Amino acid sequence: QAQLVESGGGLVQAGGSLRLSCAASGSFGSENVMAWHRQAPGKQRELVASINNYGMTTHTYSVKGRFTISRDNAKNTVYLQMNSLKPEDTGVYYCNLNVTFINTSYWGQGTQVTVSS
């Protein structure tokens, strides 16, 4: 079982930056993928970025070049550096941990990101 706690959300003007953090604790496999998802009002939850324990990353097209995902395996912590924020980035950002092979997912409570125009 794992527990995830997000932090770093807030209110920022368009063009500004935020850095989100997610710390995982508990017992889970080292072969895993950590990811950030977000959900805007009236929209489906979408994958923003992911990173496995080897450092391989993915970023959805809409954030490519603006957001960067990273992780510290020793601390079981994943980060999302968000630059050049746009109002369309507004939403609740959720941290996710998916353990390889057993395909078990864990979710954080979420942190609100609001970008004003």
Side-chain angles (χ1 to χ4, degrees), residues 27-38:
S27 179
F28 53 89
S30 60
E31 296 277 338
N32 59 66
V33 176
M34 301 186 78
W36 289 96
H37 298 245
R38 69 185 178 188

Side-chain angles (χ1 to χ4, degrees), residues 34-86:
M34 301 186 78
W36 289 96
H37 298 245
R38 69 185 178 188
Q39 187 165 21
K43 294 185 178 180
Q44 296 289 103
R45 184 176 60 190
E46 67 170 339
L47 174 65
V48 177
S50 68
I51 182 168
N52 65 19
N53 54 291
Y54 303 102
M56 189 75 68
T57 65
T58 69
H59 298 80
T60 195
Y61 181 81
S62 64
V63 308
K64 196 165 296 182
R66 300 187 298 119
F67 293 9
T68 303
I69 191 170
S70 61
R71 66 185 284 169
D72 185 332
N73 290 339
K75 297 180 179 179
N76 288 322
T77 300
V78 64
Y79 307 92
L80 186 67
Q81 179 66 47
M82 304 185 293
N83 299 325
S84 301
L85 282 161
K86 304 175 181 179

Side-chain angles (χ1 to χ4, degrees), residues 2 4 9 12-13 15 21-22 24 26 33 41-42 48 51 56 60-61 64 76 79 86 92 96 101 103 107 115:
L4 307 178
V12 65
Q13 293 182 344
S21 299
C22 172
V33 176
V48 177
I51 182 168
M56 189 75 68
T60 195
Y61 181 81
K64 196 165 296 182
N76 288 322
Y79 307 92
K86 304 175 181 179
V92 179
N96 172 263
F101 192 70
N103 194 32
W107 292 90
V115 184

